Amino acid sequence: MERRTFITTASVAAAATAVAAPAIAQTAPEVRWRLTSSFPKSLDTIYGAAEVFSKAVAEMTDNKFQVQVFAAGEIVPGLQAMQAVRDGTVEACHTASYYYVGIDPTFAFGTALPFGLNSRMQNAWQFQNGGMELMNEFYAKHNLHAIPAGNTGCQMGGWFRKEIKTVADMNGLKMRIGGFAGRAMQKLGVVPQQVAGGDIYPALEKGTIDAAEWVGPYDDQKLGFNKVAPFYYYPGWWEGGAMLHNFFNKAKWEALPASYKAIALNASHHANTWMQARYDAQNPAALRQLVAAGTQLRPFTLEVLEACLKAANEVNAETAAQNADFKKVLDHTVAFRGEEYLWWQVAEYTFDTFMIRSRARG
């Protein structure tokens, strides 16, 4: 009797396994994607976030979903990464949304709006206040689905071959500056230049440009900007919390199993956290080294900052009057920023200000 029971039970289990195996196989297909980065491999943090994402996806799927990462220029130039995804040349890219404001200024919000959100506010807006859904509504018009996958934190204001003490000093200045901020700078007489990261050093060295912003001390030191421009200004008011994204071809994204979408989302989250944590850990030592080597650290004057804010607000208003998508996201972001800074000044600002003053006193 016991033998019959065992045989029956074993048969049922075998049958169940035979039925279940194909179902499991169907939900975990072999997927091979290519992802092009907008950044060179030498920048191990901003480029490295794509590799962190790729590794996490592979590990969470037992290597069934693999994303091969290519550096800028290996498939397409860094500033054409989004177009390669949109057009189906590759399935994904890791890039800064604001590189594509020439196509539509609404792309600016995915990375940073001048005098916009800091990095924590960016995360709050994207993940808790409808920002990601709002942006994906826009991105869908370009055959894209996007997930935040990195943040540099507040950036530096860049490297200048001469001192900037007044607004007049900016007139005629040829500056490499990414994204939407160049339009505000134009109102102050600056001639903005769109130059990929790997091309900035030779442009500064040859005098093709007079100034350049990139990210912050850790990356800027790697790129050697201190060797060709002595003045290092802060803050990068145009990038208070510059966010990076994984862009996915919309059709390819929608074809993924639900489990793979969830894995890609969580792997992007991981890259998002990893990037800023690494920059925050590496920037202090790099800044010390730059100053010790002769870099002249300068804050933008209040006169310059106030003029830049006025110019940025004018550009926002002018653009919103002509672009419904931009206006929709601008109104949403500005309302959120107001609420956030209302809270920020209560605890965060008070705490940080006290700690800075306490450190200064020794």
Side-chain angles (χ1 to χ4, degrees):
M1 186 68 178
E2 289 178 0
R3 180 173 176 274
R4 289 175 182 172
T5 302
F6 172 78
I7 291 172
T8 301
T9 303
S11 298
V12 171
T17 302
V19 171
I24 293 171
Q26 287 172 10
T27 59
E30 299 280 345
V31 176
R32 300 289 183 270
W33 277 9
R34 295 189 302 168
L35 179 152
T36 183
S37 171
S38 282
F39 313 104
K41 289 181 180 178
S42 59
L43 300 179
D44 58 10
T45 305
I46 201 165
Y47 169 83
E51 292 192 326
V52 167
F53 164 77
S54 173
K55 185 172 184 287
V57 167
E59 288 177 346
M60 287 191 277
T61 61
D62 291 328
N63 290 314
K64 289 186 175 180
F65 185 6
Q66 293 189 20
V67 181
Q68 185 178 4
V69 179
F70 294 86
E74 291 183 339
I75 297 179
V76 295
L79 299 181
Q80 295 176 24
M82 181 279 289
Q83 295 91 321
V85 176
R86 179 196 63 192
D87 299 339
T89 304
V90 294
E91 292 82 6
C93 72
H94 184 245
T95 190
S97 180
Y98 71 177
Y99 287 161
Y100 313 104
V101 294
I103 295 172
D104 190 306
T106 312
F107 275 101
F109 293 97
T111 301
L113 191 72
F115 296 100
L117 307 177
N118 68 25
S119 60
R120 280 178 56 186
M121 292 176 190
Q122 276 276 36
N123 282 334
W125 180 64
Q126 288 273 348
F127 298 122
Q128 294 293 323
N129 199 251
M132 189 157 69
E133 292 79 8
L134 190 61
M135 289 307 298
N136 270 319
E137 182 182 317
F138 164 74
Y139 290 137
K141 298 179 181 181
H142 299 272
N143 196 31
L144 303 168
H145 179 81
I147 303 175
N151 202 302
T152 66
C154 187
Q155 296 191 4
M156 292 291 284
W159 298 86
F160 292 74
R161 294 163 65 94
K162 68 173 187 177
E163 283 192 89
I164 304 297
K165 296 180 178 179
T166 68
V167 175
D169 293 330
M170 302 177 74
N171 191 43
L173 195 78
K174 297 189 297 293
M175 182 176 182
R176 184 276 176 194
I177 184 164
F180 202 56
R183 302 187 185 187
M185 287 288 210
Q186 280 183 300
K187 286 182 173 287
L188 305 178
V190 173
V191 183
Q193 309 287 313
Q194 189 85 315
V195 181
D199 299 326
I200 297 173
Y201 182 95
L204 265 177
E205 184 180 36
K206 295 173 184 176
T208 307
I209 56 177
D210 306 306
E213 60 82 32
W214 179 241
V215 175
Y218 183 64
D219 277 358
D220 293 2
Q221 183 185 42
K222 279 179 172 290
L223 293 173
F225 298 150
N226 58 305
K227 299 174 184 176
V228 288
F231 300 102
Y232 198 21
Y233 277 86
Y234 64 91
W237 48 264
W238 48 89
E239 292 174 302
M243 180 167 272
L244 285 295
H245 275 77
N246 283 329
F247 282 160
F248 304 104
N249 178 276
K250 193 169 186 296
K252 292 290 186 180
W253 172 261
E254 291 175 349
L256 284 177
S259 60
Y260 281 12
K261 290 179 181 176
I263 286 166
L265 173 65
N266 282 280
S268 297
H269 273 295
H270 176 45
N272 191 50
T273 303
W274 178 90
M275 181 191 286
Q276 183 163 356
R278 182 166 173 78
Y279 272 128
D280 284 348
Q282 300 294 334
N283 277 330
L287 184 60
R288 285 181 180 276
Q289 291 163 9
L290 287 168
V291 172
T295 291
Q296 299 187 50
L297 199 60
R298 298 281 192 275
F300 284 125
T301 64
L302 187 59
E303 175 194 334
V304 169
L305 286 175
E306 288 180 340
C308 290
L309 175 60
K310 180 176 182 292
N313 287 338
E314 288 174 358
V315 170
N316 288 345
E318 292 163 3
T319 308
Q322 299 172 0
N323 186 308
D325 286 329
F326 186 92
K327 184 180 188 307
K328 182 177 182 179
V329 183
L330 177 67
D331 290 346
H332 194 273
T333 304
V334 169
F336 182 72
R337 182 185 63 186
E339 285 297 300
E340 285 293 289
Y341 275 113
L342 179 65
W343 150 244
W344 213 265
Q345 66 186 351
V346 172
E348 296 280 354
Y349 176 78
T350 305
F351 176 77
D352 288 343
T353 301
F354 173 78
M355 291 304 296
I356 290 168
R357 288 174 179 169
S358 177
R359 180 181 178 280
R361 291 194 299 268

